[in-house]
Each structure stands twice: as C-alpha cells, then as structure tokens.
Amino acid sequence: STPIKSSAASDVYKRQFTEDALRMMRAVRFSAQLGFRIEEKTKAAIEQLAPNLSHISAERIQTELVKLLKSSHPDYIREAYHLGMTRIFLPELDAAFETTQNNPHHCYTVGEHLMHCMLYTESDKSMRIAALLHDIGKPVTRTTDEQGIDHFHGHAGVGEEMAARILRRLKFDNDTITHVRKLVKYHDYPIETTPRAVRRAINTIGETYFSDVLAIKKADMMAQSLSLIHISEPTRRSYI
C-alpha cells in the first residue's frame, strides 16, 4: 500500500484537526476504504489531538465508524486504537486489545481476534458491528484456572448488555441494536447438526436472525485458530 502523501507542515495538520476533530476519524476511514497508509506526520498530529474527539457528537462519530466498518479493511479500526481515538468513543475496544487469551485455541488477543472476525463477515452494518463486539464481554469475565488457562464463562450474555450500552451511547437505531444484541448473545450458542437440534436453535434464536448467527459463529471460529476448524463443537467449548 502507498502512503498518503502531503507536503503540508505538521502545524497545518493540527489546525485542520482542531477545526474539526472528526477529520481524524475520516483519515482512518479513507485509509480503510482506499487501502492507504496514513502518513507519519498526520499520525503524529492525530495522536496528539485525539482527545478532541470528545467534543464531537455521537451521531457524527457513528457515521464515520459505520463507513469504516463496512469498508474492505474494517480491521483498520486498529489504527484508531493505536492513535488513541477509540479510547474516546469506544474504550471497551481498548480493553479488548489489552486482554490476552492464554488458551490452547486462541492465538490472538481479544481485540486482534475481533479484527480477524470482521474480515470473515460480509460488508453489512449489523454483521460487522456484531463481529466487532461479539467478544466485548471477555475482558470483564476472564478467569484463570490452576493450569494457567484463561476462560470467559458468561461472556456472551455480558457482551450482549455491553453492546447494547455501546450502541445506545453512539446513537444507533433500535433495529440495529436489536439485531446486534441477538448476534452477540447467541454467537456461542451450541447447535448440534441434527434436525431436532436445529429446529430447537431456530425457535430459541428466532428465524429472522438464525442465518446471521450461523455466519457470525463461522467467522468467530475461523478467526480464533486454524486448529478449531478441525475439532468438534463440544471440545472447542470446553476451553471457553
């Protein structure tokens, strides 16, 4: 990828970002849409001025966030984390990036796993948000057993409530909140491959959301570790 080139001095970047702090999010969003890297002076200015995002309305932040997540590089929100922006509007993601998973079937931090999961989902608003937030409850539910293995019991239910609070804070519409809550709540729901079990799962989850839950479950598994693709659901769940 090619750096975004500019001959402007550092103080010009700072003036532009001071005039409208949302331009910092736009820089990341454009890089995600176009596959460009952000030039170093621009990144330095963003890092310094990121706290100014606290003065931007939730509605405007939401608009940029959705455009970023629906882009071909939704994982570029990682750059917003490194530059200190998510600390302002999505601190729960910072906690996810800072939460390791000492577990035989997880090779990433929680945050890095979320980035990979988004890459395995379609470019749909609710699906990408659900992929971003499906494990957001893990940092607050982590426990470690006698063998030093991390577990995250109950993280789906906790994550569902956290996701709802996050989306309400960012002024998302009720339909999106309901959709995402369903996907987060049931992303770890065990579904056996028998007709009876599938019917039971459809009744529990709801026919409207069932196929999306399956898609999130598949993306979740693919984003954890390649070894998970070849093991059974009960074995995988024993490590959750």
Side-chain angles (χ1 to χ4, degrees):
S1 54
T2 306
I4 297 175
K5 295 181 179 179
S6 174
S7 59
S10 180
D11 58 341
V12 174
Y13 294 116
K14 292 177 182 177
R15 184 169 67 250
Q16 291 175 338
F17 294 147
T18 301
E19 289 172 357
D20 185 1
L22 194 68
R23 289 171 178 164
M24 294 184 283
M25 279 198 69
R26 285 201 189 112
V28 176
R29 188 253 292 181
F30 284 138
S31 74
Q33 290 178 325
L34 303 173
F36 287 172
R37 290 184 289 112
I38 300 175
E39 191 266 340
E40 290 302 318
K41 289 182 180 178
T42 306
K43 288 168 67 172
I46 291 174
E47 200 164 9
Q48 181 178 344
L49 297 171
N52 288 354
L53 275 174
S54 62
H55 305 302
I56 300 300
S57 72
E59 291 86 351
R60 296 184 72 206
I61 288 176
Q62 179 215 124
T63 298
E64 288 301 321
L65 178 62
V66 169
K67 289 178 181 178
L68 192 165
L69 296 182
K70 290 179 67 178
S71 74
S72 55
H73 299 284
D75 57 314
Y76 279 28
I77 195 174
R78 183 192 297 106
E79 191 74 71
Y81 159 68
H82 286 305
L83 295 176
M85 285 189 278
T86 54
R87 185 184 311 132
I88 307 303
F89 66 88
L90 192 54
E92 297 87 350
L93 184 60
D94 288 46
F97 272 115
E98 293 154 14
T99 300
T100 58
Q101 301 187 88
N102 185 20
N103 186 296
H105 297 294
H106 288 279
C107 56
Y108 303 115
T109 65
V110 174
E112 200 57 39
H113 163 67
L114 299 177
M115 300 301 101
H116 285 265
C117 188
M118 286 194 292
L119 294 174
Y120 288 115
T121 59
E122 62 179 301
S123 179
D124 170 84
K125 179 173 72 171
S126 293
M127 293 295 287
R128 286 279 170 86
I129 295 170
L132 177 67
L133 300 180
H134 75 279
D135 278 348
I136 207 70
K138 278 192 170 182
V140 297
T141 58
R142 182 175 64 175
T143 59
T144 306
D145 65 23
E146 302 80 16
Q147 286 75 44
I149 303 299
D150 290 333
H151 301 272
F152 306 92
H153 300 296
H155 76 275
V158 171
E160 179 202 359
E161 295 303 320
M162 289 179 65
R165 288 196 298 271
I166 291 167
L167 298 184
R168 283 195 292 265
R169 187 176 72 220
L170 292 174
K171 309 298 184 184
F172 277 89
D173 60 278
N174 288 332
D175 286 346
T176 300
I177 294 173
T178 298
H179 194 170
V180 172
R181 286 188 71 158
K182 283 279 189 179
L183 302 188
V184 173
K185 179 178 181 179
Y186 290 112
H187 81 272
D188 211 37
Y189 184 81
I191 303 175
E192 297 176 14
T193 55
T194 66
R196 183 179 179 184
V198 171
R199 285 195 299 271
R200 188 186 311 119
I202 292 174
N203 288 335
T204 300
I205 295 168
E207 189 172 352
T208 301
Y209 305 106
F210 184 69
S211 62
D212 286 348
V213 167
L214 291 183
I216 287 293
K217 287 173 70 67
K218 179 180 179 181
D220 182 25
M221 184 174 290
M222 293 178 71
Q224 287 175 9
S225 172
L226 288 176
S227 64
L228 282 173
I229 298 173
H230 307 293
I231 66 172
S232 66
E233 176 77 2
T235 301
R236 183 184 73 85
R237 287 181 57 80
S238 69
Y239 289 100
I240 294 172

